[in-house]
Amino acid sequence: EDLPLAYLFATAFNAADSSVTPLIDMSPENFATVALPAGSADNDYRRYILLEVRDVFDAATSSSVAVRVLPFAPPENVSIQDTAAALLKTSLAAQDTSAVGQIVLGMCEALNDDASDTFEGDAEQARDVLLDALIVSTGTDSKVTLPESTVSRSTAIMLAVTAAPNQLSSDATDKSLVFAKRLSSSHRLSPGAIDSIATTASNLLDASTQQYVEDLRR
């Protein structure tokens, strides 16, 4: 009776995981079409879809279900950079912020989970493409106040983008710092968003240190 209701769909590696990534912003729609990142090999590629429902008084309840999502496999002889650009093209043109975020998240988690030479050394360039798409889709106007759910989603995806500091270019590191600062200036930050920003800052410090050492060697 306490209508309207609002729905938030998110994902995590397990039901009790404190690291939850929103897939869409809070919405009055009780359904969503999403692109999921792969699950973990340690758990047979299972991950959880989480649903949170809030009423007009901000009372909330949640539920979850496990699904199995296999890792991303790039087409033969196609770089992950080109694959990322191709997948993002339509969603960027349609200004579909949620779809862009889901693609960026999925591609970054594929990069983060790759222990082989699957992506043929173009991971740094791919992260540049993915980061630019995330920033553009979220909006570059620092005067616009972002909704709390948008900040939570963007900070979680930002964490995935920066999770491998050795794959970040100096340009990406600088852009990530500016974007993280903008997200952290939001009036309302969830505990998850605060954790994501803190870990992202640590990743960027690590990336900057590696880039500085590399510059000294040249």
Side-chain angles (χ1 to χ4, degrees):
E1 65 272 18
D2 297 328
L3 301 175
L5 299 179
Y7 302 83
L8 178 67
F9 292 89
T11 186
F13 281 117
N14 58 71
D17 199 339
S18 60
S19 180
V20 174
T21 303
L23 293 166
I24 61 169
D25 292 339
M26 187 70 71
S27 165
E29 299 287 351
N30 63 356
F31 64 92
T33 301
V34 300
L36 295 174
S40 170
D42 295 336
N43 193 29
D44 195 27
Y45 299 108
R46 284 185 173 81
R47 65 163 49 245
Y48 280 79
I49 304 301
L50 311 173
L51 169 64
E52 179 181 295
V53 185
R54 296 184 187 180
D55 67 14
V56 70
F57 296 111
D58 221 24
T61 188
S62 61
S63 182
S64 65
V65 62
V67 296
R68 190 166 182 258
V69 188
L70 296 176
F72 167 75
E76 188 176 357
N77 299 322
V78 178
S79 71
I80 191 170
Q81 177 187 357
D82 292 340
T83 302
L87 289 173
L88 288 164
K89 183 177 180 180
T90 301
S91 297
L92 283 171
Q95 298 183 337
D96 189 336
T97 303
S98 294
V100 170
Q102 292 157 26
I103 293 169
V104 172
L105 176 65
M107 298 293 285
C108 283
E109 290 203 356
L111 288 167
N112 297 340
D113 191 51
D114 182 47
S116 64
D117 297 325
T118 303
F119 302 124
E120 300 179 355
D122 69 337
E124 182 177 298
Q125 292 83 358
R127 287 184 194 271
D128 285 340
V129 171
L130 295 166
L131 174 63
D132 286 343
L134 176 63
I135 293 173
V136 168
S137 67
T138 304
T140 56
D141 188 350
S142 59
K143 296 180 181 179
V144 174
T145 301
L146 297 173
E148 181 182 355
S149 58
T150 299
V151 173
S152 295
R153 178 174 52 79
S154 298
T155 51
I157 298 170
M158 184 72 173
L159 177 57
V161 174
T162 63
N166 62 308
Q167 294 179 358
L168 293 176
S169 66
S170 57
D171 187 43
T173 302
D174 292 342
K175 288 181 180 179
S176 297
L177 181 60
V178 172
F179 188 53
K181 183 177 180 181
R182 185 196 172 195
L183 294 174
S184 65
S185 65
S186 174
H187 297 300
R188 294 185 64 184
L189 290 173
S190 66
I194 293 172
D195 287 345
S196 293
I197 290 172
T199 306
T200 294
S202 177
N203 291 341
L204 294 178
L205 179 60
D206 192 3
S208 296
T209 301
Q210 292 182 37
Q211 291 157 13
Y212 176 72
V213 171
E214 187 64 27
D215 287 342
L216 288 179
R217 291 174 178 171
R218 292 175 181 170

